[in-house]
Amino acid sequence: MMTTAFISNGWILNKQLTFFAALKSLWWVLKSVLFEELLFRGALLYLVIEKWGTTKACLLSAVCFGIYHWFSYNAFGNPFQMGIIFVMTFIFGWMLAISFAKTKSLYLPIGLHLGWNFFNIVVFSNGPLGKQLFMKANDSHLEGIPSLLVFLFQVVVLPALVYGYFRCKKQE
């Protein structure tokens, strides 16, 4: 939504989207999130925490999560795109790994990941499923400094909120 605040663009409801197609999209997102969480937090992170400790295990999980997304975004051959994808997914993966390590549960990482992917892919049509619930009204795109600021906001805010949550919870 922030990207549309800086340019003259808005969102329009996709009237072509059927209830069945929306359920199918939700199912796709749920399966992909569960696969990634069970792989990167449920198996890899859980096993490596016992061997290497929490910090190194969370780093490894985040690195693997970032590299994995090169494949899902089909980014090979474009170093700039690979770098952007790695930074975004590494930070997000780090946050999910810390969430698992602090709670000893997959509930929070699954909830955060599911929420992010659902809104990004299904609600705002930003992903591999194409046009979903809302679509941009035109082809205007952010460029320059506003684009960088929105990118940094997206990459930093959710992890910062999770970090703040754990800091507050620790003080209780």
Side-chain angles (χ1 to χ4, degrees):
M1 291 184 73
M2 284 183 59
T3 60
T4 60
F6 293 107
I7 54 177
S8 36
N9 202 344
W11 297 96
I12 55 173
L13 184 63
N14 180 4
K15 294 179 182 171
Q16 311 298 313
L17 184 68
T18 65
F19 180 74
F20 179 72
L23 281 179
K24 190 174 174 182
S25 297
L26 178 59
W27 178 241
W28 185 91
V29 168
L30 180 63
K31 288 189 309 184
S32 68
V33 165
L34 288 176
F35 171 79
E36 291 176 10
E37 289 307 315
L38 290 172
L39 177 64
F40 295 107
R41 263 64 67 187
L44 176 68
L45 183 60
Y46 178 80
L47 294 172
V48 178
I49 282 175
E50 291 180 3
K51 302 251 187 245
W52 293 357
T54 301
T55 302
K56 289 179 184 175
C58 288
L59 280 172
L60 176 66
S61 176
V63 166
C64 291
F65 190 69
I67 291 171
Y68 167 82
H69 280 85
W70 289 343
F71 295 95
S72 61
Y73 282 97
N74 198 21
F76 282 102
N78 185 339
F80 181 74
Q81 185 181 17
M82 289 172 71
I84 296 292
I85 289 168
F86 183 80
V87 167
M88 288 182 67
T89 55
F90 172 85
I91 292 171
F92 193 68
W94 173 261
M95 175 200 63
L96 295 171
I98 294 294
S99 298
F100 174 79
K102 296 280 186 186
T103 63
K104 308 282 190 266
S105 168
L106 285 171
Y107 289 127
L108 184 57
I110 287 172
L112 291 166
H113 198 166
L114 186 61
W116 181 268
N117 282 11
F118 175 74
F119 276 94
N120 208 22
I121 295 170
V122 178
V123 174
F124 293 112
S125 304
N126 186 18
L129 301 181
K131 295 177 181 176
Q132 294 294 305
L133 186 58
F134 290 108
M135 307 174 299
K136 286 188 176 180
N138 60 47
D139 289 330
S140 297
H141 296 285
L142 275 179
E143 295 177 3
I145 298 297
S147 177
L148 176 64
L149 293 174
V150 168
F151 169 75
L152 291 173
F153 180 82
Q154 289 175 334
V155 169
V156 171
V157 169
L158 185 58
L161 289 172
V162 170
Y163 175 76
Y165 168 77
F166 284 120
R167 295 262 312 167
C168 290
K169 188 172 170 93
K170 188 177 182 179
Q171 294 173 356
E172 291 176 1

